[in-house]
Amino acid sequence: MTWTPPAVPQDDAADASRFLARLGYVVLALAAPSGVVLHSLALYVLFPIGVALISFAALLDPPADLGARLRAAFANPATQIGLAGLGWATLSILWTPYSVAAGQHLLKIGLWGVAVLLALILPREHARATDLYLFPIGLVLAMLTIFFAWIASRHGAPIEYDRIREGGIVLATLLFPAMGGLAARGRNGYARLLLIMGFVYAFSIGSSPMMIALFVGFAALSFALSDLERTTRDLSWLTGGLILLAPLAVLFAAPLARLMLNAKLPGQPEPYPALATAFDAVIHGNIRLVTGHGFETIARGLRAETLPMTTPRSMLFQIWYELGVIGAMLAAAGAWFGFRALAEAPPRLAPYLTAALACNLALATIAIDLGDMIWFTTLAVALIASDIAARSQYRTTRPSAAHLAHF
């Protein structure tokens, strides 16, 4: 006679919740990065689908400490600085010449923030390795998609180079969080291989901004691996100071470049015309250096040709030009608190989060256009990937999910 153990009742709601959450991570990790290269709207469709699946999963099996998570998220300095920045940008609608467009863009950013908050506070406490590995795999798939898109364009397929460029921004944004996920599980060899592949693709694409950002991230990673606390402290003061003193750097750099070239900057190749335009904006800014010209002024001004085409499009210049010194102070405070908070992240993960923050700040400083929502949406995916990596370290000391919002 064979003994059969009694059947254990299955929690169908918990199983369905895990399935939906896994499906949401599949959409965000595997489909979203490659979708940027395939279609300009793919990321905007896939990201809300992934967050909605994670939210539905939480409805089926809600976390017990949801209220505490929500309170911790809003008590976080990064969240408070973000809300203050959003509030100041909203107030600037009163003097921006493009109030309707600014309001629409701010609404998108507000919905983006809500989606990020939901994706961070709703998942279950512990993350599985299978969820964690989805993001490095998705990054490799994005690299393959870029490669095949490039081959197709060489054979006459109607693929715009902007798709390749935006794919490079996605790679730079997601590379170090994906490496951190691998390192969190002890897969350091695969993390190094992913870094090498990232540099190879940056060189193949021919994107100098991407190469610079990756080198900045790699340097931050190297220092953080040797001395995390000192690296985060130094980077917090360095980045905060650079953001606040950017106009002074322009005031010194433009005359120095004109003196060295012995010619007018507008007639020189890039980036000298953009430097000359930034110099004029600082010199003639007056009160606008304090209040800014209003949110969405640069993007709409370039489309309407009310601003010169040589106007810099870097995120740092947009902050100063559109939101003034108040917006710059909030951005500097966000960078300062961000690096300081990363010192408290899980030991295996913290150096890679430091590199990710340094890399993305470099992207925001370099003269490339990040004004659309592709970079912001990719940052949200990077946040979710970092949160999963942190929650996979449940046998070690780690911060709450809200702490990762500093990234």
Side-chain angles (χ1 to χ4, degrees):
M1 182 176 181
T2 305
W3 177 79
T4 304
V8 179
Q10 296 291 326
D11 190 340
D12 295 336
D15 291 341
S17 174
R18 284 191 289 268
F19 173 76
L20 287 177
R22 177 72 52 76
L23 189 59
Y25 293 139
V26 166
V27 172
L28 293 175
L30 301 185
S34 300
V36 173
V37 184
L38 298 177
H39 197 277
S40 58
L41 299 178
L43 184 61
Y44 305 130
V45 175
L46 294 171
F47 176 71
I49 290 175
V51 174
L53 289 170
I54 296 173
S55 302
F56 286 141
L59 290 176
L60 293 175
D61 188 19
D65 57 344
L66 181 58
R69 292 187 185 186
L70 192 60
R71 287 191 296 271
F74 282 100
N76 192 294
T79 306
Q80 296 171 359
I81 292 172
L83 291 175
L86 188 63
W88 176 246
T90 303
L91 185 62
S92 72
I93 292 179
L94 297 176
W95 57 82
T96 182
Y98 308 99
S99 56
V100 175
Q104 293 173 344
H105 197 173
L106 285 170
L107 179 61
K108 293 179 183 178
I109 294 177
L111 293 175
W112 171 88
V114 172
V116 172
L117 182 65
L118 291 176
L120 291 181
I121 68 173
L122 291 180
R124 59 185 182 273
E125 182 69 14
H126 298 157
R128 297 184 177 182
T130 48
D131 296 333
L132 183 63
Y133 291 140
L134 290 173
F135 291 91
I137 294 173
L139 193 63
V140 174
L141 289 178
M143 293 180 182
L144 293 176
T145 304
I146 292 175
F147 177 70
F148 287 118
W150 177 77
I151 291 180
S153 66
R154 299 281 291 181
H155 287 79
I159 297 178
E160 300 178 0
Y161 180 74
D162 284 346
R163 302 274 73 78
I164 306 295
R165 181 187 64 82
E166 290 168 354
I169 293 175
V170 170
L171 291 185
T173 305
L174 294 177
L175 178 62
F176 291 104
M179 291 174 60
L182 291 172
R185 306 300 299 181
R187 310 295 184 182
N188 296 319
Y190 289 116
R192 288 191 290 269
L193 179 60
L194 202 60
L195 178 63
I196 294 172
M197 293 175 63
F199 274 108
V200 169
Y201 265 79
F203 178 78
S204 301
I205 294 173
S207 175
S208 298
M210 182 181 171
M211 285 290 293
I212 294 172
L214 289 182
F215 271 118
V216 170
F218 176 69
L221 175 63
S222 301
F223 287 113
L225 286 172
S226 60
D227 191 343
L228 176 65
E229 184 177 357
R230 181 175 180 180
T231 300
T232 54
R233 184 180 65 249
D234 292 346
L235 286 177
S236 67
W237 288 108
L238 177 62
T239 55
L242 286 176
I243 293 173
L244 288 178
L245 300 178
L248 293 180
V250 171
L251 290 178
F252 283 105
L256 181 62
R258 184 167 57 246
L259 180 64
M260 294 176 61
L261 295 173
N262 196 25
K264 294 182 178 180
L265 296 184
Q268 302 301 311
E270 290 292 345
Y272 296 108
L275 182 61
T277 303
F279 179 80
D280 291 337
V282 173
I283 288 295
H284 303 294
N286 299 326
I287 190 62
R288 293 297 191 179
L289 282 177
V290 178
T291 64
H293 292 75
F295 193 69
E296 196 70 3
T297 302
I298 291 181
R300 296 294 171 172
L302 288 172
R303 293 181 187 178
E305 297 184 354
T306 58
L307 291 177
M309 296 307 295
T310 55
T311 301
R313 304 187 184 187
S314 70
M315 190 64 64
L316 179 58
F317 181 79
Q318 289 186 41
I319 290 173
W320 267 102
Y321 191 84
E322 296 181 351
L323 302 179
V325 67
I326 297 177
M329 290 174 63
L330 291 171
W336 192 91
F337 278 108
F339 279 116
R340 286 305 181 96
L342 292 178
E344 303 174 6
R348 286 184 177 180
L349 187 61
Y352 296 90
L353 294 182
T354 304
L357 181 53
C359 177
N360 280 280
L361 286 175
L363 276 178
T365 305
I366 300 171
I368 57 176
D369 186 9
L370 298 176
D372 57 18
M373 291 299 295
I374 288 181
W375 183 55
F376 280 100
T377 310
T378 308
L379 277 177
V381 177
L383 264 170
I384 295 170
S386 303
D387 173 59
I388 294 175
R391 289 188 290 109
S392 72
Q393 303 290 287
Y394 52 87
R395 294 185 182 90
T396 60
T397 302
R398 67 164 186 86
S400 65
H403 252 82
L404 286 177
H406 285 292
F407 169 71

